């Protein structure tokens, strides 16, 4: 139980890291600047986690779970401390990257350690408790993050991780005795390098395109070209390495392929809602940071409830496809509601849309993992599960990059439509991001004439409209991909026999 408590604490701080910070991001960019590059704060953490996660398990097979898990906590704590003292926007982005690298070790290794020390028969209830810790973080994180930011400072959102990390390290050091069966593995270094660099360059081009450089400039075309070359090299490496980080043979199964495509779409829309809704609630409606965090709670609570109920229904019927399609339809309806919001939108309308999205997320997020695990042999179970997690990480990072670019490009023109020419010239000299960030900072807002403040709110609402509308086609693609997933009845045995696959693939 002491070991399990250490795992719970580690997973809790990693889970809180995402939900705690989300409602505070508008306040952070108001103080540090960088609204035009807003999405890089969450993207940096997710990108680092995406890079680290695929190799964390294999490194722990070679060097042991305990030292790698403790190293992940230390890296996460260092990233938290650097984030808390960040003097500027891009320093914070770097610090968040360090945090994400720690998360890339903590999350997968906590599951691996449970598998090492707990029998399969007992494992389910412990993993259920671990899942509950994520649910707890999802519920209390946004509200707590808003409260801490409003009554103390956003820097404490990162400093609070430090005492928890110290306690976790003490517990793990003294009580965790995990059997270390040393396994010989070849680490797919080149696969990890080409994949991570390819994704990073593609994200950089997406965020910079139309903002720092025109879309047809040599810089953007060059970045996309380099990303394509690296990803092509990644495919070649995976075809020739003995232990690929992402085995391509799994994609021969259309069930596996379309499940991962749909997972990418769901992750893109989920993190888009979590990180961009606080911008609308604070910047357009004018709510406090605490209230904007509280508005995320109904979505996350609905997600937990529908996940539990949906899981019970799947267990009883053995069927999942109708639930996946219903969940995606609810998410699409929620995003369509968000896309119609304006400066006159109320908190109640916002909560209704978030509940729809939350219900849909609960029905889909974990179900795709279950579908994949049901379709692979025991030999491929771990790598198939980690590939699904990798798809989510990639989807979250790509989604935030695309939606952040849409917001930035919208801000360039939307605010000026509501201002007289003299005010437009003054605000343009300060930068569109700077002018829009003023509505998140009470000190700046108090110095703006009411007409200017109202114009910024109107412009921000206009800029966010295509951000939320973009979620609809993303979910539509996930819906179409799900239609192509063959519904294989869930088996009642633990694993598919090696070399065999369920029918209809």
């Amino acid at each position: 139980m002491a070991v399990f408590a250490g795992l719970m604490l580690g997973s809790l701080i990693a889970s809180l890291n995402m939900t705690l910070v989300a409602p505070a991001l508008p306040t952070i960019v108001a103080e540090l600047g960088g609204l035009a590059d807003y999405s890089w704060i969450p993207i940096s953490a997710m990108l680092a986690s995406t890079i680290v996660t695929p190799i964390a398990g294999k490194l722990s097979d070679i060097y042991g779970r305990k030292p790698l898990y403790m190293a992940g906590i230390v890296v996460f704590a260092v990233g938290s401390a650097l984030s808390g003292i960040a003097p500027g926007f891009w320093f914070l982005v770097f610090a968040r990257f360090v945090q994400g690298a720690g998360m890339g070790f903590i999350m997968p290794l906590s599951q691996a350690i449970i598998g090492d020390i707990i029998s399969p028969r007992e494992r389910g209830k412990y993993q259920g408790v671990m899942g509950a810790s994520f649910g707890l973080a999802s519920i209390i994180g946004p509200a707590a993050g808003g409260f801490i930011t409003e009554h103390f400072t956003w820097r404490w959102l990162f400093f609070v991780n430090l005492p928890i990390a110290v306690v976790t390290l003490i517990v793990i050091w003294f009580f965790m005795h995990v059997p270390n069966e040393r396994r010989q593995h070849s680490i797919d270094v080149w696969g990890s390098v080409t994949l991570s660099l390819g994704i990073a360059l593609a994200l950089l081009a997406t965020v910079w395109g139309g903002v720092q450089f025109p879309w047809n400039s040599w810089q953007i075309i060059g970045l996309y070209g380099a990303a394509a070359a690296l990803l092509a090299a990644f495919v070649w490496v995976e075809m020739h390495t003995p232990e690929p980080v992402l085995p391509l043979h799994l994609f021969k199964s259309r069930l596996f392929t379309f499940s991962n495509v749909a997972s990418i779409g769901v992750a893109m829309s989920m993190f888009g809602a979590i990180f961009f809704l606080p911008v609308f609630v604070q910047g357009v409606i004018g709510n406090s940071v605490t209230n904007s965090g509280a508005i995320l709670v109904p979505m996350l609570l609905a997600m937990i409830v529908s996940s539990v109920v949906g899981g019970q229904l799947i267990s009883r019927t053995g069927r999942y496809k109708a639930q996946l399609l219903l969940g995606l339809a609810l998410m699409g309806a929620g995003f369509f509601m968000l896309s119609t919001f304006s400066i006159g939108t109320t908190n109640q309308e916002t909560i209704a849309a978030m509940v729809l999205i939350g219900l849909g997320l609960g029905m889909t997020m974990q179900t795709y993992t279950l579908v994949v695990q049901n379709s692979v042999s025991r030999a491929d179970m771990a790598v198939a599960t980690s590939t699904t997690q990798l798809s989510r990480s990639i989807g979250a990072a790509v989604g935030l990059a695309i939606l952040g670019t849409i917001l930035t490009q919208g801000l360039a023109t939307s605010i000026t439509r509501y201002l007289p020419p003299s005010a437009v010239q003054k605000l343009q000299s300060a930068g569109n991001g700077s002018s829009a960030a003023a509505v998140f900072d009470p000190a700046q807002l108090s110095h703006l004439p009411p007409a200017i403040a109202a114009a910024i709110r109107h412009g921000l609402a206009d800029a966010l409209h295509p951000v939320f509308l973009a979620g609809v086609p993303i979910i539509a693609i996930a819906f179409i991909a799900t239609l192509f997933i063959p519904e294989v009845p869930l088996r009642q045995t633990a694993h598919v026999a090696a070399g065999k696959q369920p029918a209809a693939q």
Side-chain angles (χ1 to χ4, degrees), residues 65-107:
R65 311 273 195 236
K66 181 175 179 177
L68 267 296
Y69 188 75
M70 294 181 70
I73 294 172
V74 171
V75 171
F76 181 84
V78 170
S80 297
L82 292 174
S83 299
I85 64 173
F89 179 84
W90 289 108
F91 187 95
L92 178 61
V93 170
F94 165 75
R96 292 279 292 166
F97 188 89
V98 176
Q99 265 193 316
M103 288 171 56
F105 280 99
I106 294 172
M107 298 304 287

mmCIF file of all heavy atoms in Angstrom, residues 65-107:
data_model
loop_
_atom_site.group_PDB
_atom_site.id
_atom_site.type_symbol
_atom_site.label_atom_id
_atom_site.label_comp_id
_atom_site.label_asym_id
_atom_site.label_seq_id
_atom_site.Cartn_x
_atom_site.Cartn_y
_atom_site.Cartn_z
ATOM 1 N N ARG A 65 12.645 -0.163 -12.966
ATOM 2 C CA ARG A 65 11.522 0.770 -12.881
ATOM 3 C C ARG A 65 11.782 1.872 -11.843
ATOM 4 O O ARG A 65 11.527 3.044 -12.091
ATOM 5 C CB ARG A 65 10.241 0.030 -12.475
ATOM 6 C CG ARG A 65 9.939 -1.217 -13.256
ATOM 7 C CD ARG A 65 9.161 -0.917 -14.503
ATOM 8 N NE ARG A 65 8.591 -2.124 -15.047
ATOM 9 C CZ ARG A 65 8.773 -2.570 -16.275
ATOM 10 N NH1 ARG A 65 9.535 -1.904 -17.119
ATOM 11 N NH2 ARG A 65 8.208 -3.685 -16.689
ATOM 12 N N LYS A 66 12.284 1.477 -10.678
ATOM 13 C CA LYS A 66 12.416 2.422 -9.570
ATOM 14 C C LYS A 66 13.299 3.616 -9.912
ATOM 15 O O LYS A 66 12.869 4.768 -9.733
ATOM 16 C CB LYS A 66 12.927 1.698 -8.328
ATOM 17 C CG LYS A 66 13.091 2.583 -7.103
ATOM 18 C CD LYS A 66 13.488 1.742 -5.884
ATOM 19 C CE LYS A 66 13.690 2.605 -4.648
ATOM 20 N NZ LYS A 66 14.006 1.781 -3.460
ATOM 21 N N PRO A 67 14.522 3.420 -10.390
ATOM 22 C CA PRO A 67 15.362 4.604 -10.678
ATOM 23 C C PRO A 67 14.776 5.484 -11.782
ATOM 24 O O PRO A 67 14.883 6.711 -11.709
ATOM 25 C CB PRO A 67 16.716 4.003 -11.088
ATOM 26 C CG PRO A 67 16.437 2.584 -11.439
ATOM 27 C CD PRO A 67 15.289 2.169 -10.599
ATOM 28 N N LEU A 68 14.146 4.871 -12.794
ATOM 29 C CA LEU A 68 13.571 5.678 -13.881
ATOM 30 C C LEU A 68 12.345 6.446 -13.403
ATOM 31 O O LEU A 68 12.119 7.596 -13.796
ATOM 32 C CB LEU A 68 13.215 4.776 -15.058
ATOM 33 C CG LEU A 68 14.271 4.592 -16.163
ATOM 34 C CD1 LEU A 68 14.540 5.909 -16.860
ATOM 35 C CD2 LEU A 68 15.561 4.001 -15.624
ATOM 36 N N TYR A 69 11.533 5.820 -12.537
ATOM 37 C CA TYR A 69 10.352 6.497 -12.002
ATOM 38 C C TYR A 69 10.773 7.679 -11.132
ATOM 39 O O TYR A 69 10.214 8.774 -11.226
ATOM 40 C CB TYR A 69 9.515 5.519 -11.203
ATOM 41 C CG TYR A 69 8.174 6.055 -10.759
ATOM 42 C CD1 TYR A 69 7.116 6.196 -11.659
ATOM 43 C CD2 TYR A 69 7.948 6.418 -9.430
ATOM 44 C CE1 TYR A 69 5.885 6.677 -11.258
ATOM 45 C CE2 TYR A 69 6.729 6.903 -9.014
ATOM 46 C CZ TYR A 69 5.694 7.030 -9.936
ATOM 47 O OH TYR A 69 4.481 7.520 -9.521
ATOM 48 N N MET A 70 11.769 7.447 -10.273
ATOM 49 C CA MET A 70 12.271 8.530 -9.423
ATOM 50 C C MET A 70 12.904 9.642 -10.263
ATOM 51 O O MET A 70 12.723 10.836 -9.970
ATOM 52 C CB MET A 70 13.281 7.984 -8.410
ATOM 53 C CG MET A 70 12.667 7.026 -7.389
ATOM 54 S SD MET A 70 13.875 6.411 -6.184
ATOM 55 C CE MET A 70 14.191 7.908 -5.242
ATOM 56 N N ALA A 71 13.612 9.259 -11.318
ATOM 57 C CA ALA A 71 14.210 10.271 -12.193
ATOM 58 C C ALA A 71 13.114 11.117 -12.852
ATOM 59 O O ALA A 71 13.252 12.340 -12.983
ATOM 60 C CB ALA A 71 15.064 9.603 -13.269
ATOM 61 N N GLY A 72 12.004 10.478 -13.237
ATOM 62 C CA GLY A 72 10.894 11.213 -13.823
ATOM 63 C C GLY A 72 10.312 12.233 -12.860
ATOM 64 O O GLY A 72 9.988 13.365 -13.254
ATOM 65 N N ILE A 73 10.188 11.848 -11.588
ATOM 66 C CA ILE A 73 9.654 12.778 -10.580
ATOM 67 C C ILE A 73 10.607 13.951 -10.372
ATOM 68 O O ILE A 73 10.184 15.107 -10.242
ATOM 69 C CB ILE A 73 9.402 12.032 -9.255
ATOM 70 C CG1 ILE A 73 8.281 11.005 -9.445
ATOM 71 C CG2 ILE A 73 9.036 13.003 -8.138
ATOM 72 C CD1 ILE A 73 8.081 10.081 -8.270
ATOM 73 N N VAL A 74 11.905 13.652 -10.342
ATOM 74 C CA VAL A 74 12.897 14.721 -10.163
ATOM 75 C C VAL A 74 12.843 15.699 -11.345
ATOM 76 O O VAL A 74 12.841 16.927 -11.161
ATOM 77 C CB VAL A 74 14.314 14.128 -10.008
ATOM 78 C CG1 VAL A 74 15.363 15.235 -10.057
ATOM 79 C CG2 VAL A 74 14.426 13.357 -8.699
ATOM 80 N N VAL A 75 12.797 15.167 -12.559
ATOM 81 C CA VAL A 75 12.730 16.030 -13.749
ATOM 82 C C VAL A 75 11.459 16.868 -13.712
ATOM 83 O O VAL A 75 11.478 18.072 -14.012
ATOM 84 C CB VAL A 75 12.792 15.183 -15.029
ATOM 85 C CG1 VAL A 75 12.504 16.036 -16.264
ATOM 86 C CG2 VAL A 75 14.160 14.525 -15.163
ATOM 87 N N PHE A 76 10.343 16.251 -13.329
ATOM 88 C CA PHE A 76 9.079 16.983 -13.244
ATOM 89 C C PHE A 76 9.167 18.101 -12.209
ATOM 90 O O PHE A 76 8.689 19.217 -12.434
ATOM 91 C CB PHE A 76 7.950 16.018 -12.878
ATOM 92 C CG PHE A 76 6.600 16.669 -12.794
ATOM 93 C CD1 PHE A 76 5.833 16.868 -13.929
ATOM 94 C CD2 PHE A 76 6.086 17.082 -11.572
ATOM 95 C CE1 PHE A 76 4.590 17.474 -13.858
ATOM 96 C CE2 PHE A 76 4.851 17.687 -11.481
ATOM 97 C CZ PHE A 76 4.095 17.881 -12.631
ATOM 98 N N ALA A 77 9.797 17.813 -11.058
ATOM 99 C CA ALA A 77 9.934 18.818 -10.002
ATOM 100 C C ALA A 77 10.827 19.973 -10.458
ATOM 101 O O ALA A 77 10.536 21.140 -10.188
ATOM 102 C CB ALA A 77 10.498 18.183 -8.738
ATOM 103 N N VAL A 78 11.914 19.649 -11.161
ATOM 104 C CA VAL A 78 12.784 20.703 -11.682
ATOM 105 C C VAL A 78 12.022 21.582 -12.663
ATOM 106 O O VAL A 78 12.101 22.822 -12.624
ATOM 107 C CB VAL A 78 14.028 20.083 -12.363
ATOM 108 C CG1 VAL A 78 14.819 21.147 -13.126
ATOM 109 C CG2 VAL A 78 14.920 19.412 -11.322
ATOM 110 N N GLY A 79 11.242 20.954 -13.540
ATOM 111 C CA GLY A 79 10.434 21.722 -14.478
ATOM 112 C C GLY A 79 9.405 22.590 -13.778
ATOM 113 O O GLY A 79 9.148 23.729 -14.196
ATOM 114 N N SER A 80 8.821 22.076 -12.689
ATOM 115 C CA SER A 80 7.851 22.853 -11.920
ATOM 116 C C SER A 80 8.505 24.075 -11.287
ATOM 117 O O SER A 80 7.946 25.185 -11.308
ATOM 118 C CB SER A 80 7.217 21.979 -10.836
ATOM 119 O OG SER A 80 6.499 20.905 -11.394
ATOM 120 N N ALA A 81 9.700 23.882 -10.694
ATOM 121 C CA ALA A 81 10.406 25.002 -10.073
ATOM 122 C C ALA A 81 10.778 26.057 -11.109
ATOM 123 O O ALA A 81 10.611 27.264 -10.876
ATOM 124 C CB ALA A 81 11.655 24.491 -9.352
ATOM 125 N N LEU A 82 11.267 25.610 -12.267
ATOM 126 C CA LEU A 82 11.625 26.561 -13.326
ATOM 127 C C LEU A 82 10.387 27.307 -13.834
ATOM 128 O O LEU A 82 10.455 28.510 -14.118
ATOM 129 C CB LEU A 82 12.293 25.822 -14.485
ATOM 130 C CG LEU A 82 13.686 25.232 -14.212
ATOM 131 C CD1 LEU A 82 14.162 24.412 -15.398
ATOM 132 C CD2 LEU A 82 14.687 26.337 -13.898
ATOM 133 N N SER A 83 9.257 26.609 -13.929
ATOM 134 C CA SER A 83 8.024 27.266 -14.368
ATOM 135 C C SER A 83 7.596 28.333 -13.374
ATOM 136 O O SER A 83 7.127 29.411 -13.759
ATOM 137 C CB SER A 83 6.907 26.231 -14.545
ATOM 138 O OG SER A 83 7.229 25.274 -15.528
ATOM 139 N N GLY A 84 7.739 28.023 -12.081
ATOM 140 C CA GLY A 84 7.314 28.967 -11.051
ATOM 141 C C GLY A 84 8.123 30.249 -11.017
ATOM 142 O O GLY A 84 7.605 31.304 -10.645
ATOM 143 N N ILE A 85 9.389 30.174 -11.418
ATOM 144 C CA ILE A 85 10.243 31.371 -11.373
ATOM 145 C C ILE A 85 10.416 31.993 -12.763
ATOM 146 O O ILE A 85 11.216 32.919 -12.920
ATOM 147 C CB ILE A 85 11.633 31.040 -10.794
ATOM 148 C CG1 ILE A 85 12.376 30.055 -11.695
ATOM 149 C CG2 ILE A 85 11.511 30.505 -9.373
ATOM 150 C CD1 ILE A 85 13.824 29.804 -11.296
ATOM 151 N N ALA A 86 9.666 31.503 -13.754
ATOM 152 C CA ALA A 86 9.853 31.940 -15.139
ATOM 153 C C ALA A 86 9.778 33.465 -15.255
ATOM 154 O O ALA A 86 8.768 34.072 -14.894
ATOM 155 C CB ALA A 86 8.804 31.303 -16.037
ATOM 156 N N PRO A 87 10.831 34.119 -15.764
ATOM 157 C CA PRO A 87 10.808 35.577 -15.915
ATOM 158 C C PRO A 87 10.139 36.038 -17.207
ATOM 159 O O PRO A 87 9.806 37.215 -17.348
ATOM 160 C CB PRO A 87 12.296 35.944 -15.929
ATOM 161 C CG PRO A 87 12.964 34.737 -16.517
ATOM 162 C CD PRO A 87 12.160 33.545 -16.069
ATOM 163 N N GLY A 88 9.965 35.131 -18.162
ATOM 164 C CA GLY A 88 9.379 35.520 -19.442
ATOM 165 C C GLY A 88 8.648 34.364 -20.080
ATOM 166 O O GLY A 88 8.714 33.208 -19.617
ATOM 167 N N PHE A 89 7.944 34.642 -21.167
ATOM 168 C CA PHE A 89 7.076 33.662 -21.814
ATOM 169 C C PHE A 89 7.854 32.454 -22.320
ATOM 170 O O PHE A 89 7.500 31.305 -22.038
ATOM 171 C CB PHE A 89 6.313 34.334 -22.963
ATOM 172 C CG PHE A 89 5.413 33.397 -23.714
ATOM 173 C CD1 PHE A 89 4.140 33.124 -23.256
ATOM 174 C CD2 PHE A 89 5.843 32.789 -24.885
ATOM 175 C CE1 PHE A 89 3.304 32.255 -23.944
ATOM 176 C CE2 PHE A 89 5.020 31.922 -25.579
ATOM 177 C CZ PHE A 89 3.746 31.656 -25.106
ATOM 178 N N TRP A 90 8.923 32.668 -23.082
ATOM 179 C CA TRP A 90 9.624 31.544 -23.699
ATOM 180 C C TRP A 90 10.427 30.738 -22.690
ATOM 181 O O TRP A 90 10.668 29.537 -22.900
ATOM 182 C CB TRP A 90 10.503 32.039 -24.849
ATOM 183 C CG TRP A 90 9.668 32.473 -26.016
ATOM 184 C CD1 TRP A 90 9.454 33.746 -26.446
ATOM 185 C CD2 TRP A 90 8.882 31.630 -26.862
ATOM 186 N NE1 TRP A 90 8.594 33.759 -27.512
ATOM 187 C CE2 TRP A 90 8.223 32.475 -27.797
ATOM 188 C CE3 TRP A 90 8.661 30.259 -26.928
ATOM 189 C CZ2 TRP A 90 7.371 31.974 -28.778
ATOM 190 C CZ3 TRP A 90 7.819 29.757 -27.904
ATOM 191 C CH2 TRP A 90 7.186 30.606 -28.816
ATOM 192 N N PHE A 91 10.833 31.362 -21.592
ATOM 193 C CA PHE A 91 11.444 30.584 -20.512
ATOM 194 C C PHE A 91 10.411 29.623 -19.935
ATOM 195 O O PHE A 91 10.732 28.463 -19.636
ATOM 196 C CB PHE A 91 11.969 31.520 -19.421
ATOM 197 C CG PHE A 91 12.762 30.812 -18.342
ATOM 198 C CD1 PHE A 91 14.144 30.744 -18.408
ATOM 199 C CD2 PHE A 91 12.117 30.215 -17.266
ATOM 200 C CE1 PHE A 91 14.875 30.092 -17.421
ATOM 201 C CE2 PHE A 91 12.837 29.553 -16.272
ATOM 202 C CZ PHE A 91 14.218 29.494 -16.350
ATOM 203 N N LEU A 92 9.168 30.101 -19.780
ATOM 204 C CA LEU A 92 8.100 29.234 -19.271
ATOM 205 C C LEU A 92 7.837 28.080 -20.237
ATOM 206 O O LEU A 92 7.615 26.941 -19.813
ATOM 207 C CB LEU A 92 6.823 30.042 -19.044
ATOM 208 C CG LEU A 92 5.604 29.245 -18.564
ATOM 209 C CD1 LEU A 92 5.878 28.581 -17.219
ATOM 210 C CD2 LEU A 92 4.378 30.156 -18.457
ATOM 211 N N VAL A 93 7.862 28.350 -21.536
ATOM 212 C CA VAL A 93 7.672 27.285 -22.524
ATOM 213 C C VAL A 93 8.751 26.215 -22.360
ATOM 214 O O VAL A 93 8.467 25.010 -22.382
ATOM 215 C CB VAL A 93 7.685 27.865 -23.956
ATOM 216 C CG1 VAL A 93 7.741 26.753 -25.003
ATOM 217 C CG2 VAL A 93 6.447 28.742 -24.181
ATOM 218 N N PHE A 94 10.012 26.646 -22.178
ATOM 219 C CA PHE A 94 11.104 25.697 -21.949
ATOM 220 C C PHE A 94 10.885 24.895 -20.670
ATOM 221 O O PHE A 94 11.070 23.670 -20.634
ATOM 222 C CB PHE A 94 12.442 26.441 -21.880
ATOM 223 C CG PHE A 94 13.559 25.623 -21.296
ATOM 224 C CD1 PHE A 94 14.157 24.618 -22.031
ATOM 225 C CD2 PHE A 94 13.996 25.850 -19.995
ATOM 226 C CE1 PHE A 94 15.175 23.847 -21.483
ATOM 227 C CE2 PHE A 94 15.016 25.101 -19.443
ATOM 228 C CZ PHE A 94 15.608 24.092 -20.191
ATOM 229 N N ALA A 95 10.486 25.588 -19.591
ATOM 230 C CA ALA A 95 10.267 24.913 -18.312
ATOM 231 C C ALA A 95 9.143 23.888 -18.419
ATOM 232 O O ALA A 95 9.211 22.804 -17.835
ATOM 233 C CB ALA A 95 9.952 25.940 -17.224
ATOM 234 N N ARG A 96 8.103 24.223 -19.172
ATOM 235 C CA ARG A 96 7.005 23.276 -19.378
ATOM 236 C C ARG A 96 7.474 22.061 -20.175
ATOM 237 O O ARG A 96 6.991 20.944 -19.970
ATOM 238 C CB ARG A 96 5.859 23.974 -20.099
ATOM 239 C CG ARG A 96 5.175 25.044 -19.265
ATOM 240 C CD ARG A 96 4.178 24.428 -18.305
ATOM 241 N NE ARG A 96 3.047 23.868 -19.041
ATOM 242 C CZ ARG A 96 2.158 23.042 -18.518
ATOM 243 N NH1 ARG A 96 2.286 22.640 -17.279
ATOM 244 N NH2 ARG A 96 1.145 22.590 -19.231
ATOM 245 N N PHE A 97 8.417 22.260 -21.087
ATOM 246 C CA PHE A 97 8.989 21.132 -21.823
ATOM 247 C C PHE A 97 9.691 20.174 -20.853
ATOM 248 O O PHE A 97 9.552 18.950 -20.974
ATOM 249 C CB PHE A 97 9.975 21.646 -22.870
ATOM 250 C CG PHE A 97 10.486 20.585 -23.806
ATOM 251 C CD1 PHE A 97 9.812 20.298 -24.975
ATOM 252 C CD2 PHE A 97 11.643 19.891 -23.506
ATOM 253 C CE1 PHE A 97 10.290 19.313 -25.835
ATOM 254 C CE2 PHE A 97 12.129 18.902 -24.362
ATOM 255 C CZ PHE A 97 11.451 18.614 -25.535
ATOM 256 N N VAL A 98 10.412 20.732 -19.901
ATOM 257 C CA VAL A 98 11.077 19.894 -18.884
ATOM 258 C C VAL A 98 10.031 19.137 -18.065
ATOM 259 O O VAL A 98 10.174 17.936 -17.790
ATOM 260 C CB VAL A 98 11.972 20.768 -17.980
ATOM 261 C CG1 VAL A 98 12.589 19.924 -16.865
ATOM 262 C CG2 VAL A 98 13.066 21.449 -18.793
ATOM 263 N N GLN A 99 8.955 19.831 -17.656
ATOM 264 C CA GLN A 99 7.879 19.167 -16.942
ATOM 265 C C GLN A 99 7.310 18.006 -17.747
ATOM 266 O O GLN A 99 7.074 16.915 -17.222
ATOM 267 C CB GLN A 99 6.752 20.163 -16.658
ATOM 268 C CG GLN A 99 6.814 20.825 -15.293
ATOM 269 C CD GLN A 99 5.501 21.531 -14.983
ATOM 270 O OE1 GLN A 99 4.930 22.221 -15.819
ATOM 271 N NE2 GLN A 99 5.013 21.356 -13.779
ATOM 272 N N GLY A 100 7.063 18.250 -19.035
ATOM 273 C CA GLY A 100 6.490 17.215 -19.885
ATOM 274 C C GLY A 100 7.384 15.991 -19.999
ATOM 275 O O GLY A 100 6.899 14.857 -20.058
ATOM 276 N N ALA A 101 8.701 16.212 -20.014
ATOM 277 C CA ALA A 101 9.626 15.083 -20.059
ATOM 278 C C ALA A 101 9.481 14.223 -18.809
ATOM 279 O O ALA A 101 9.503 12.982 -18.880
ATOM 280 C CB ALA A 101 11.062 15.598 -20.195
ATOM 281 N N GLY A 102 9.318 14.864 -17.655
ATOM 282 C CA GLY A 102 9.075 14.102 -16.430
ATOM 283 C C GLY A 102 7.770 13.320 -16.485
ATOM 284 O O GLY A 102 7.695 12.151 -16.072
ATOM 285 N N MET A 103 6.720 13.961 -17.019
ATOM 286 C CA MET A 103 5.434 13.276 -17.169
ATOM 287 C C MET A 103 5.553 12.055 -18.067
ATOM 288 O O MET A 103 4.886 11.032 -17.850
ATOM 289 C CB MET A 103 4.400 14.235 -17.766
ATOM 290 C CG MET A 103 3.929 15.323 -16.828
ATOM 291 S SD MET A 103 2.926 16.540 -17.740
ATOM 292 C CE MET A 103 1.665 15.496 -18.458
ATOM 293 N N GLY A 104 6.408 12.142 -19.084
ATOM 294 C CA GLY A 104 6.587 11.028 -19.996
ATOM 295 C C GLY A 104 7.142 9.788 -19.330
ATOM 296 O O GLY A 104 6.966 8.675 -19.849
ATOM 297 N N PHE A 105 7.814 9.945 -18.191
ATOM 298 C CA PHE A 105 8.265 8.803 -17.414
ATOM 299 C C PHE A 105 7.234 8.398 -16.358
ATOM 300 O O PHE A 105 6.993 7.212 -16.130
ATOM 301 C CB PHE A 105 9.595 9.117 -16.717
ATOM 302 C CG PHE A 105 10.784 9.000 -17.608
ATOM 303 C CD1 PHE A 105 11.353 10.118 -18.187
ATOM 304 C CD2 PHE A 105 11.347 7.763 -17.889
ATOM 305 C CE1 PHE A 105 12.448 10.018 -19.026
ATOM 306 C CE2 PHE A 105 12.450 7.640 -18.722
ATOM 307 C CZ PHE A 105 12.997 8.774 -19.301
ATOM 308 N N ILE A 106 6.632 9.359 -15.694
ATOM 309 C CA ILE A 106 5.751 9.062 -14.569
ATOM 310 C C ILE A 106 4.533 8.252 -14.988
ATOM 311 O O ILE A 106 4.214 7.214 -14.388
ATOM 312 C CB ILE A 106 5.302 10.369 -13.874
ATOM 313 C CG1 ILE A 106 6.498 11.059 -13.210
ATOM 314 C CG2 ILE A 106 4.228 10.077 -12.831
ATOM 315 C CD1 ILE A 106 6.181 12.447 -12.678
ATOM 316 N N MET A 107 3.820 8.714 -16.036
ATOM 317 C CA MET A 107 2.546 8.101 -16.384
ATOM 318 C C MET A 107 2.678 6.648 -16.847
ATOM 319 O O MET A 107 2.009 5.764 -16.318
ATOM 320 C CB MET A 107 1.821 8.957 -17.430
ATOM 321 C CG MET A 107 1.486 10.362 -16.940
ATOM 322 S SD MET A 107 0.499 10.379 -15.414
ATOM 323 C CE MET A 107 -1.089 9.840 -16.055
#
